């Protein structure tokens, strides 16, 4: 049985490979990282912090990128609570970006809370996959 840590690594590598494969012809390519959280948590562990750093380091010229943070929750706990939790998750990721010299002005944040789930919240596995922040580095139109 694969551990949560192993699954995070595999997901991160697959995401990077997918992006690289479809954008290899572009001078600047999009980079996406998903940070997953436990239920009710906005804690980012050391391994996830390292994933953020790796994504940043994979970009040669950050001045040519827009950074987007979209945060999500499952549907446990009610709408108001999940809006707060979503905001706390995006702020935790923003803190990591600022600590890695990404300027706040370059970052767009959208907190979805329990709205707009990517996965079905009726299942445990769906709720786990909805507890995340997607971090996207997008090339600016040049």
């Amino acid at each position: 049985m694969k551990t949560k840590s192993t699954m995070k690594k595999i997901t991160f590598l697959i995401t990077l490979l997918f992006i690289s494969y479809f954008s290899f012809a572009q001078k600047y390519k999009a980079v996406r990282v998903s940070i997953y959280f436990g239920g009710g948590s906005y804690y980012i562990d050391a391994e996830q912090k390292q994933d953020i750093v790796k994504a940043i380091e994979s970009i040669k010229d950050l001045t040519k990128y827009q950074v987007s943070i979209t945060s999500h929750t499952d549907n446990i706990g009610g709408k108001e609570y999940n809006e707060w939790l979503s905001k706390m998750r995006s702020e935790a990721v923003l803190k990591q970006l600022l600590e890695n010299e990404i300027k706040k002005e370059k970052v767009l944040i959208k907190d979805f809370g329990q709205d707009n789930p990517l996965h079905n919240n009726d299942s445990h596995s769906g709720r786990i996959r909805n507890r995340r922040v997607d971090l996207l580095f997008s090339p600016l139109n040049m």
Side-chain angles (χ1 to χ4, degrees):
M1 184 168 154
K2 291 185 168 67
T3 65
K4 183 178 176 183
S5 174
T6 302
M7 291 304 293
K8 286 183 203 173
K9 286 179 184 177
I10 291 170
T11 301
F12 177 73
L13 291 174
I14 289 171
T15 302
L16 284 180
L17 286 172
F18 180 81
I19 291 169
S20 296
Y21 178 77
F22 286 102
S23 352
F24 73 94
Q26 295 179 336
K27 185 174 182 181
Y28 302 102
K29 58 188 171 199
V31 176
R32 179 177 178 232
V33 179
S34 292
I35 306 297
Y36 292 91
F37 298 86
S41 174
Y42 54 92
Y43 173 75
I44 300 176
D45 66 30
E47 188 175 325
Q48 292 171 311
K49 288 177 185 179
Q50 191 57 40
D51 289 345
I52 294 170
V53 170
K54 286 178 190 174
I56 293 169
E57 289 174 349
S58 74
I59 299 170
K60 290 183 170 70
D61 187 356
L62 282 166
T63 63
K64 300 197 178 350
Y65 283 79
Q66 175 68 55
V67 183
S68 301
I69 296 172
T70 54
S71 62
H72 307 270
T73 67
D74 58 25
N75 62 349
I76 305 297
K79 186 169 179 64
E80 252 182 63
Y81 172 75
N82 283 314
E83 287 172 357
W84 171 82
L85 182 58
S86 187
K87 183 175 176 16
M88 297 306 293
R89 288 177 177 171
S90 62
E91 287 180 7
V93 172
L94 176 61
K95 180 180 178 211
Q96 294 306 308
L97 294 175
L98 296 174
E99 288 177 7
N100 285 279
E101 301 180 11
I102 304 290
K103 294 181 177 160
K104 189 174 183 177
E105 306 81 57
K106 292 197 66 78
V107 181
L108 299 174
I109 299 173
K110 175 63 178 154
D111 301 318
F112 285 102
Q114 67 186 28
D115 298 331
N116 199 27
L118 185 60
H119 305 281
N120 189 334
N121 274 320
D122 292 336
S123 71
H124 179 69
S125 64
R127 287 189 298 274
I128 288 171
R129 291 182 299 199
N130 282 330
R131 298 175 192 147
R132 73 184 190 287
V133 167
D134 296 321
L135 178 58
L136 179 64
F137 297 86
S138 304
L140 297 169
N141 294 331
M142 308 247 150

